[in-house]
């Protein structure tokens, strides 16, 4: 669905350029211009997901807010936890809940998991896949513990991110979440309707 709407947008822009290009540029320049536009258009967008509004309201009712929706929206289409267990990772790198919080961050900054000092205990984090309120509470506690910038860094890249919070990759991730959040806040209906905003951020 995203690709289809993106192609339509690119086609319309390219049609508009062809008339201008015919007057001022050769075909090679025209094709290059269209390629650049295609790259830009493919970076971000929006579409509707059935019942997404219901899930957004569940997040809000469980103590979440607009930032929680934005962070989860970057991770999955339906704001759910039906991805591969642990996000196909183990130990401190294992991810849980709608935000895909890594176990390192959970066990170093949240009341629920601080008693677990070993990465080998990571399976206890799976409770967040089932308990939405606990998931949201853990994210809030973790961010309050580390502060927003360091939390984003650790959320993105675990312990390495904590020690190096301003890499380009982490900045790109934060920018992605910020963009989604800005779209959500542009109209209050986006916090409760079926609209999903997406932006390309390289998965790790």
């Amino acid at each position: 669905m995203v690709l289809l709407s993106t192609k339509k947008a690119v086609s319309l822009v390219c049609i508009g350029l062809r008339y201008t290009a015919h007057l001022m540029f050769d075909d090679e320049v025209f094709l290059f211009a269209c390629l650049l536009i295609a790259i830009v258009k493919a970076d971000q967008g929006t579409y509707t997901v059935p019942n997404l509004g219901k899930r957004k309201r569940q997040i809000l009712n469980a103590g979440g807010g607009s930032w929680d929706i934005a962070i989860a929206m970057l991770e999955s289409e339906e704001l759910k936890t039906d991805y591969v267990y642990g996000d196909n990772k183990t130990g401190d790198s294992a991810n849980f809940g709608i935000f895909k919080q890594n176990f390192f961050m959970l066990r170093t900054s949240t009341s629920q998991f601080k008693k677990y000092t070993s990465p080998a205990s990571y399976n206890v984090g799976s409770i967040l896949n089932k308990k939405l309120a606990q998931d949201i509470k853990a994210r809030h506690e973790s961010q309050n513990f580390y502060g927003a910038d360091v939390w984003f860094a650790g959320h993105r890249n675990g312990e390495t991110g904590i020690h190096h919070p301003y890499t380009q990759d982490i900045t790109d991730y934060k920018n992605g979440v910020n963009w989604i959040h800005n779209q959500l806040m542009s109209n209050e209906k986006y916090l409760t309707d079926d609209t999903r905003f997406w932006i390309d951020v390289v998965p790790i």
Side-chain angles (χ1 to χ4, degrees):
M1 186 186 305
V2 179
L3 291 177
L4 180 59
S5 61
T6 298
K7 288 178 180 178
K8 286 182 179 178
V10 172
S11 297
L12 289 173
V13 175
C14 288
I15 289 170
L17 272 178
R18 180 172 293 280
Y19 176 72
T20 303
H22 180 71
L23 296 178
M24 295 186 295
F25 308 111
D26 58 26
D27 288 341
E28 184 175 351
V29 174
F30 163 73
L31 290 174
F32 178 68
C34 283
L35 177 60
L36 287 179
I37 291 169
I39 292 172
V40 171
K41 290 294 181 182
D43 283 342
Q44 59 198 39
T46 181
Y47 59 98
T48 58
V49 178
N51 297 315
L52 190 64
K54 178 181 178 180
R55 184 58 169 169
K56 290 176 181 178
R57 290 190 291 274
Q58 289 174 345
I59 292 171
L60 296 174
N61 291 336
S66 57
W67 283 104
D68 298 296
I69 294 174
I71 293 165
M73 190 168 283
L74 184 62
E75 298 295 346
S76 69
E77 182 176 68
E78 297 183 340
L79 312 181
K80 294 182 179 180
T81 60
D82 53 354
Y83 50 88
V84 176
Y85 183 82
D87 204 20
N88 210 25
K89 301 169 186 175
T90 60
D92 274 345
S93 298
N95 295 332
F96 301 104
I98 63 172
F99 312 110
K100 296 188 178 181
Q101 299 185 80
N102 64 69
F103 189 61
F104 172 80
M105 296 294 283
L106 291 171
R107 71 179 181 83
T108 58
S109 62
T110 70
S111 59
Q112 185 172 356
F113 298 103
K114 263 195 167 182
K115 62 184 176 182
Y116 300 103
T117 58
S118 170
S121 302
Y122 73 93
N123 286 305
V124 298
S126 64
I127 188 65
L128 301 187
N129 292 341
K130 302 174 182 177
K131 303 292 185 180
L132 180 59
Q134 291 181 26
D135 190 16
I136 293 169
K137 180 183 177 183
R139 198 201 74 73
H140 291 177
E141 286 185 353
S142 188
Q143 181 171 322
N144 288 338
F145 180 87
Y146 280 111
D149 273 0
V150 177
W151 180 84
F152 271 108
H155 181 61
R156 174 64 173 173
N157 205 22
E159 186 173 8
T160 300
I162 294 295
H163 297 297
H164 304 281
Y166 299 108
T167 65
Q168 187 60 55
D169 175 73
I170 290 170
T171 298
D172 290 343
Y173 172 77
K174 287 192 293 185
N175 288 343
V177 174
N178 283 331
W179 182 83
I180 292 174
H181 184 260
N182 287 341
Q183 309 316 303
L184 289 170
M185 297 304 291
S186 67
N187 191 317
E188 63 180 9
K189 71 177 184 178
Y190 293 139
L191 292 176
T192 55
D193 72 1
D194 289 342
T195 303
R196 183 189 182 224
F197 297 99
W198 65 273
I199 184 167
D200 280 344
V201 175
V202 177
I204 58 174

